[in-house]
Amino acid sequence: MYVPENVVTNRDLERFMDTTDEWIRERTGIEERRYAHRTGETTATMGVKAAKQALERAGTTAQDIDFVVFATLSPDYYFPGCGVIVQRELKMKEVGALDVRNQCSGFLYALSVADQFIKTGMYKNILVVASEKHSFGLDFSTRGRNISVIFGDGAAAVVLQPSEDGSAGILSTHLHSDGECAEMLAMFNPGTHANHWGDHAAYDEAEIGKQFMSYAMLDEAQNFPFMDGPAVFKKAITKFPEVVNEALSANGYSLKDLSLLIPHQANLRISQFVQQSLKLKDNQVFNNIQRYGNTTAASVPIALCEAWQEGHIKEGDLVCLAAFGSGYTWASALIKW
């Protein structure tokens, strides 16, 4: 994992918007987050740093990697994706590079894709990277505080390889979506929607062009993310327990067999509600949103890395990863460590 050096506390944010440390902690559980260097770090460069650590720990090299999957909602460029930048910066062979745009569920979707490639024998060494640089695109004003106080920057990566032990590794992954509420958590502009799905953008008068981004959009601050927090919370606390139980049931396990649940770090209140719903003990759920905020696609692997580093995961443990987010999409993966 990699997180920027720049620590931004709730008190720091009080300088830019009408908020308080107490208000943020009460609603989200977040105490601080990391922001990338404004010009010195990008989503891809953070991903590269995490990837180098993962490769070293896996005892492999960039030249051994035969496929890259990169999950993010905040790419360096609108196109091309970050996967090819990682391939370039790590001086890999001309391997395939796939970018996954599934927001908070991005890492689990990427992990599932990589898992299938490994299990079919198509690839032997896959690098999965998740990275986000939210701080470049948030509304740091009182108007945008409900969203801006939540998110942070960071990256994490894993190397997937075939296991000689058929009973260990990724046992199964489970992916879901429901687009009925796609607009409840979204960044509408820039985009090609042309207000087809709702009145999301102000357009300048023009015969052609001036829809992707316009001065009117900027004037009306329509280039920032939108979130209906209560709607997202209500759906998340339903789908999180469902997808965890689905993973366990598919492999003949129950909640009493679970060593550790690592949920997407969206909001500490969601994680606490899910823990209570599943009747899990404190040592069965790992949270680190207090230190990093919501790093979207990177949050699950950052938490996984920290949990492993701190000794919360041992060989033979049954670990469940779960995420819910924009789309809506949600997913889980069950791993026998």
Side-chain angles (χ1 to χ4, degrees):
M1 59 172 278
Y2 172 80
V3 290
E5 293 181 2
N6 183 27
V7 177
V8 179
T9 67
N10 295 339
R11 298 284 186 196
D12 292 330
L13 293 180
E14 292 176 7
R15 296 166 46 210
F16 306 101
M17 62 190 74
D18 183 11
T19 191
T20 65
D21 175 59
E22 293 75 18
W23 189 90
I24 298 171
R25 287 182 189 232
E26 179 183 345
R27 287 161 178 77
T28 69
I30 299 168
E31 300 171 16
E32 60 187 38
R33 72 286 293 148
R34 304 293 182 97
Y35 286 168
H37 188 280
R38 289 174 61 83
T39 59
E41 293 182 306
T42 74
T43 294
T45 65
M46 291 189 293
V48 166
K49 289 182 178 180
K52 287 180 178 179
Q53 185 185 79
L55 289 167
E56 181 180 352
R57 288 177 170 177
T60 189
T61 70
Q63 286 299 305
D64 296 319
I65 297 297
D66 42 23
F67 197 69
V68 178
V69 189
F70 198 114
T72 187
L73 65 72
S74 53
D76 289 28
Y77 304 130
Y78 195 82
F79 67 86
C82 289
V84 297
I85 299 177
V86 168
Q87 181 271 342
R88 177 184 71 190
E89 294 304 298
L90 291 177
K91 296 179 173 55
M92 294 179 177
K93 294 176 291 188
E94 295 178 346
V95 300
L98 172 68
D99 282 65
V100 173
R101 292 286 300 274
N102 279 85
Q103 295 68 251
C104 300
S105 303
F107 175 73
L108 289 179
Y109 268 73
L111 193 69
S112 182
V113 170
D115 183 41
Q116 310 315 309
F117 277 133
I118 292 289
K119 286 177 176 173
T120 61
M122 186 168 181
Y123 298 118
K124 300 295 185 185
N125 298 281
I126 299 181
L127 175 66
V128 180
V129 183
S131 181
E132 303 286 8
K133 184 180 177 181
H134 289 121
S135 59
F136 83 105
L138 296 173
D139 183 0
F140 289 106
S141 71
T142 300
R143 175 187 56 213
R145 65 183 174 183
N146 288 351
I147 294 177
S148 298
V149 301
I150 295 172
F151 294 94
D153 302 340
V158 298
V159 175
L160 263 65
Q161 299 169 320
S163 172
E164 296 179 1
D165 182 355
S167 64
I170 299 173
L171 304 183
S172 64
T173 57
H174 307 268
L175 312 178
H176 297 277
S177 72
D178 178 5
E180 284 297 316
C181 298
E183 287 77 22
M184 292 297 98
L185 177 51
M187 185 167 176
F188 304 113
N189 305 305
T192 64
H193 58 82
N195 282 337
H196 183 83
W197 308 110
D199 188 16
H200 303 306
Y203 294 120
D204 293 337
E205 292 297 325
E207 182 178 355
I208 58 175
K210 294 192 177 181
Q211 285 189 316
F212 187 70
M213 183 57 70
S214 69
Y215 289 113
M217 289 182 206
L218 296 175
D219 290 342
E220 298 186 26
Q222 294 175 340
N223 58 320
F224 295 114
F226 168 81
M227 178 174 66
D228 182 334
V232 174
F233 188 97
K234 183 178 180 180
K235 191 80 168 181
I237 61 175
T238 299
K239 294 306 178 183
F240 259 118
E242 281 184 11
V243 81
V244 171
N245 280 314
E246 179 185 8
L248 291 168
S249 177
N251 293 280
Y253 291 108
S254 66
L255 287 165
K256 64 179 177 59
D257 302 309
L258 187 62
S259 304
L260 191 65
L261 168 64
I262 299 180
H264 161 55
Q265 305 295 298
N267 185 310
L268 186 59
R269 307 308 165 217
I270 293 177
S271 295
Q272 291 170 336
F273 194 102
V274 171
Q275 179 180 340
Q276 293 171 3
S277 176
L278 294 174
K279 297 181 172 58
L280 297 174
K281 300 175 182 176
D282 288 347
N283 63 359
Q284 287 181 287
V285 182
F286 186 84
N287 291 298
N288 63 0
I289 190 173
Q290 303 93 322
R291 298 188 295 278
Y292 305 120
N294 181 348
T295 54
T296 313
S299 84
V300 169
I302 286 176
L304 174 64
C305 185
E306 277 210 332
W308 174 75
Q309 288 176 164
E310 295 174 9
H312 299 294
I313 301 175
K314 306 180 298 298
E315 186 174 348
D317 280 355
L318 192 65
V319 180
C320 186
L321 313 179
F324 175 90
S326 172
Y328 294 125
T329 64
W330 59 99
S332 64
L334 194 66
I335 303 171
K336 190 68 173 296
W337 204 259

